[in-house]
Amino acid sequence: MAQPNLASNNELELQGLNNKADTMTRIIIRKFFKNKLAVIGAILLFIIITAAICAPLLTPYSPEKQELLDRFLTPSKEHLLGTDTFGRDIFTRLLYGARVSLMVGFASVAGAMVIGTTLGALAGYFGGIIDAMIMRFVDIMLSIPTIFLLITLITIFNPGVDKLIIIFALTGWMGTSRLVRGEFLSLRSREFVLASKTIGTNSFKIIFREILPNAMGPIIVAATLAIGSVILSESALSYLGLGIQPPDASWGNMLQDAQSITIMLKYWWYPTAPGLCILVTVLAFNFVGDGLRDALDPKINE
C-alpha cells in the first residue's frame, strides 16, 4: 500500500497559505486604490516627504542664514515664496521645516506605538491582575489633560527635537494600548492560539509571533492617523514658543514669526505658506488613514 507523501502535502498546504496571503494583499491594495481621497493623500505625502528629503537639492539657500537687506522680498524667480522678517528664504525654511515636522511625527508615533502595543498586548493576553494594573495606569494617564502635561514637560526639559519626540511618545501611547488590548482579547481564544498553547509554545512567542501579526491592521491605521495629530500638536507648541526654537525651521515657529497683523495683511504669503503645509499634510495623513482602515476591514466590501 502506497504511503502518502507528507512532504508534498506540506508543500501544497504552504503554497495554499502563500496564495491566500497574496490574494488578501491584492484585495487590500485594490480596496485602497478605489478610495480616491486615500490615493490623493498618498500622492501628497509622497511629494512632501520627497521634497523634505531632497531639500538641499531643491534650494541653494540655507534655512538659517539671515540677509537683513533682503527682508520681506515678494515671491520671485530667486525666492519662490519671498523672504521673511530676517531675509531668510521662505521656501527653503518650508522644506527644512517639513523635515522637522515629519521627523517628530514619525519618530514619536513609532515610540508611542511600541509602548502602547507592548502594554496592550500584555494586558489583553494575560488578563487578570496584569490587565487590571495596566488599564488603571492607562486610566490615570488619560485623566491628565494632555496639553497641560505637554507644556509642563517641555517647560521642565526645555524644547528641542529629541525632547519633543520623547515627550510625544510618552504621552501618546494610551489609545494604542486600549486598541491592542481589545484586539488581543478577541484573538487569544482563537484556534491557532489554543493550538500553540497546547504544544507548549512560550507565551511571549505566542504574543509577538502569533497574535500580534493578526492585530497589525488597526495598529497601522491608528499610527497613520496619529502622525497627523502629532504634527498639528508640534506646530501648535512651536507657535506658542514651546516647540522648535529659532533659528531652526519649523512650520509652527514660521507661523509665530508671521503672527503680526501688519505681516498678515501686507505679506499674506508669509503665514499662508506654512499654514497650508500643515493643513495639507495633516489632511493627507487622515485620508491615508481612512483609506487603510477601509481597506483592512474585511466587513467592507469592494
Side-chain angles (χ1 to χ4, degrees):
M1 186 175 179
Q3 294 293 325
N5 191 335
L6 295 179
S8 298
N9 290 339
N10 289 336
E11 288 177 4
L12 289 172
E13 185 178 350
L14 183 59
Q15 185 178 0
L17 290 173
N18 290 335
N19 289 338
K20 184 178 179 180
D22 184 55
T23 303
M24 286 299 298
T25 303
R26 289 182 180 180
I27 291 172
I28 290 170
I29 293 173
R30 189 159 57 244
K31 288 169 69 176
F32 179 84
F33 277 96
K34 280 190 175 182
N35 188 324
K36 293 181 180 179
L37 288 179
V39 173
I40 292 171
I43 293 171
L44 288 173
L45 286 181
F46 176 78
I47 294 171
I48 293 168
I49 293 171
T50 303
I53 294 172
C54 301
L57 303 176
L58 297 176
T59 175
Y61 303 104
S62 166
E64 300 174 5
K65 187 178 180 181
Q66 300 181 8
E67 297 287 350
L68 298 180
L69 296 178
D70 294 331
R71 297 171 68 241
F72 295 123
L73 293 181
T74 57
S76 62
K77 185 183 295 185
E78 288 76 23
H79 300 281
L80 294 179
L81 294 173
T83 58
D84 66 7
T85 315
F86 300 99
R88 299 170 297 195
D89 184 69
I90 294 175
F91 179 68
T92 301
R93 288 182 64 78
L94 276 180
L95 293 177
Y96 283 89
R99 284 184 164 190
V100 171
S101 296
L102 292 171
M103 185 191 304
V104 172
F106 281 110
S108 59
V109 168
M113 290 297 132
V114 170
I115 298 171
T117 299
T118 302
L119 293 178
L122 294 175
Y125 180 79
F126 290 108
I129 189 170
I130 294 177
D131 182 22
M133 290 174 62
I134 292 175
M135 286 301 104
R136 296 300 74 77
F137 180 59
V138 170
D139 291 338
I140 291 171
M141 291 295 294
L142 287 172
S143 67
I144 303 173
T146 305
I147 187 64
F148 295 121
L149 180 60
L150 283 172
I151 291 173
T152 302
L153 291 174
I154 290 170
T155 303
I156 293 173
F157 296 106
N158 297 323
V161 174
D162 54 344
K163 296 180 180 66
L164 278 177
I165 291 171
I166 294 171
I167 290 170
F168 278 125
L170 293 177
T171 57
W173 56 268
M174 291 81 76
T176 304
S177 67
R178 282 188 163 183
L179 175 67
V180 174
R181 173 182 176 268
E183 290 293 317
F184 268 68
L185 286 174
S186 65
L187 290 171
R188 70 180 183 179
S189 58
R190 300 282 288 272
E191 291 80 1
F192 67 92
V193 177
L194 297 176
S196 296
K197 288 181 178 179
T198 303
I199 62 175
T201 305
N202 182 276
S203 294
F204 289 97
K205 287 184 178 180
I206 295 175
I207 291 173
F208 294 106
R209 289 187 183 179
E210 303 290 341
I211 304 179
L212 185 58
N214 289 280
M216 284 305 295
I219 295 172
I220 292 171
V221 173
T224 307
L225 295 172
I227 292 173
S229 178
V230 169
I231 290 174
L232 207 55
S233 298
E234 180 274 320
S235 300
L237 289 171
S238 296
Y239 177 78
L240 295 172
L242 298 171
I244 307 302
Q245 298 298 301
D248 292 335
S250 159
W251 290 339
N253 64 30
M254 288 179 71
L255 284 174
Q256 183 192 42
D257 290 341
Q259 65 181 325
S260 164
I261 295 296
T262 304
I263 293 176
M264 288 184 180
L265 294 177
K266 193 172 182 180
Y267 310 103
W268 56 268
W269 58 86
Y270 183 7
T272 300
L276 276 177
C277 284
I278 295 170
L279 174 65
V280 170
T281 304
V282 173
L283 275 178
F285 274 111
N286 288 340
F287 288 158
V288 171
D290 288 338
L292 286 173
R293 180 172 55 200
D294 294 343
L296 293 167
D297 190 346
K299 297 177 183 178
I300 298 178
N301 297 323
E302 291 187 74

